[in-house]
Amino acid sequence: MKITEILNRQGLGLSFEVFPPKESTSLERVRESALKIANLKPDFLSVTYGAGGQGGRWTVEIARDIQQETGVPAMAHLTCVASSREALKARVREIRENGIENIMALRGDLPQNADVLRPDDQAFGHASELIAMLREELGDEVSIGGACYPEIHPESETLESDIRYLRAKVDAGCDFLTTQMFFDNALFYRFLYRLREAGVMVPVVPGIMPITSSRQIERARKLSGSFMPQRFLSLVDSFGHSPEAMEQAGIIYATDQIIDLFANHVRHVHVYTMNHPHVAQAILENLAAVLKADV
């Protein structure tokens, strides 16, 4: 099933994200975690390329296994940075042959040991170019997603220029956008208003990451540059020294964010699980009645 169909359904929805391993020795462990999360029956599961492009060779394999073994729709991430057109077309053929109908199209991070962003043999330097290629190659066979930053992309000079680039993605054929993590819902609401004001009308799915250990704080800042409100920082200060307490508090904080989003007419939320099935399960249990509510 295409994600565009899922997002257009009535009711509230939740999806999860997993990432592939960097090394083949970890593949079975990650695959097991991904299948456990899929068996919780979210609306769909997203499989990333891995930080810095690492692990991408297993993205399609894991997405295929999720669909075949659990029946949950999967979305495969695809990045274009430092990839030739031939390599991208080969990956698109792999996605198609494995029956995957959803692609998250990204520029991606510069691979390790690379010192240039756009080498001579690189096909595209921007996600909008990749999206246009995917739409040309696959037409309406797939649903294409794009990424966005509710607090402005780190490389954008202004929010206005960032929104212009997001509009270019949509004009190229992007069906929906998923945000980077954020910890203050007000930032998302303001961002969504600015997008609609600029004429970007595709669904925008907020991305929420449960912070379940104090170690994740610095990584979250590095990945997203997210503003962390005092309410969240106080939680970390009070419970960060206790792994069990921090995990519980982080799950509750993320659950509270999701409930607030649903209460403010957001229909679908995407959760970055960090490959932890018990975190995904805890959030689903917290939201069991909410997800069934007629709102």
Side-chain angles (χ1 to χ4, degrees):
M1 178 180 287
K2 295 178 186 175
I3 289 174
T4 45
E5 299 174 70
I6 293 170
L7 297 179
N8 285 327
R9 292 190 309 205
Q10 293 294 317
L12 304 176
L14 207 64
S15 55
F16 296 129
E17 184 161 295
V18 297
F19 55 85
K22 292 184 179 180
E23 305 293 339
S24 59
T25 53
S26 305
L27 178 59
E28 190 54 39
R29 185 172 71 250
V30 170
R31 180 180 174 277
E32 182 181 346
S33 294
L35 290 174
K36 284 182 179 178
I37 293 170
N39 277 318
L40 296 171
K41 299 302 180 183
D43 286 325
F44 66 88
L45 211 65
S46 176
V47 186
T48 77
Y49 229 60
Q54 300 297 307
R57 60 189 178 277
W58 292 299
T59 298
V60 175
E61 179 181 335
I62 293 172
R64 178 202 64 205
D65 290 348
I66 287 166
Q67 291 196 157
Q68 291 182 352
E69 297 189 32
T70 70
V72 172
M75 176 168 64
H77 287 216
L78 179 63
T79 66
C80 62
V81 67
S83 292
S84 67
R85 184 178 287 267
E86 290 72 25
L88 288 171
K89 287 191 174 183
R91 187 54 62 96
V92 169
R93 285 194 298 273
E94 182 187 11
I95 290 171
R96 174 188 255 165
E97 289 167 0
N98 282 278
I100 296 165
E101 297 179 290
N102 304 290
I103 300 174
M104 174 60 70
L106 307 160
R107 186 196 70 179
D109 300 320
L110 197 62
Q112 293 178 356
N113 303 320
D115 57 3
V116 292
L117 181 61
R118 188 162 188 163
D120 292 340
D121 65 345
Q122 180 172 301
F124 308 122
H126 300 285
S128 57
E129 297 170 294
L130 175 60
I131 290 166
M133 184 272 277
L134 290 171
R135 193 56 78 198
E136 181 180 350
E137 290 284 321
L138 300 174
D140 292 331
E141 288 182 38
V142 297
S143 181
I144 301 173
C148 60
Y149 284 71
E151 299 170 69
I152 190 172
H153 191 284
E155 296 176 17
S156 293
E157 294 183 2
T158 65
L159 180 59
E160 289 72 20
S161 63
D162 201 21
I163 291 176
R164 283 197 299 272
Y165 182 56
L166 291 175
R167 185 160 188 169
K169 288 185 184 183
V170 174
D171 290 344
C174 178
D175 293 309
F176 64 94
L177 297 166
T178 302
T179 78
Q180 181 57 271
M181 71 185 84
F182 58 89
F183 301 95
D184 184 344
N185 286 5
L187 295 168
F188 173 77
Y189 299 137
R190 287 197 291 269
F191 174 69
L192 186 60
Y193 176 82
R194 295 291 296 275
L195 282 182
R196 299 312 188 216
E197 190 178 45
V200 179
M201 305 307 291
V202 297
V204 181
V205 179
I208 299 298
M209 177 180 279
I211 298 294
T212 57
S213 76
S214 56
R215 292 191 306 256
Q216 288 180 276
I217 299 293
E218 199 53 43
R219 176 171 171 78
R221 282 193 172 122
K222 184 178 179 181
L223 281 173
S224 66
S226 297
F227 166 71
M228 295 183 175
Q230 188 56 50
R231 174 171 172 255
F232 177 76
L233 294 175
S234 295
L235 177 152
V236 177
D237 288 342
S238 296
F239 306 114
H241 64 283
S242 170
E244 289 185 0
M246 184 64 224
E247 179 172 277
Q248 185 178 60
I251 289 170
I252 291 171
Y253 188 93
T255 302
D256 184 59
Q257 279 191 275
I258 295 168
I259 291 172
D260 180 77
L261 289 163
F262 285 155
N264 282 278
H265 311 296
V266 172
R267 314 298 296 180
H268 193 101
V269 176
H270 191 60
V271 180
Y272 301 111
T273 68
M274 301 302 292
N275 291 10
H276 294 313
H278 70 285
V279 172
Q281 182 173 354
I283 288 176
L284 275 175
E285 289 173 354
N286 287 346
L287 295 169
V290 170
L291 287 167
K292 295 176 183 177
D294 182 15
V295 297

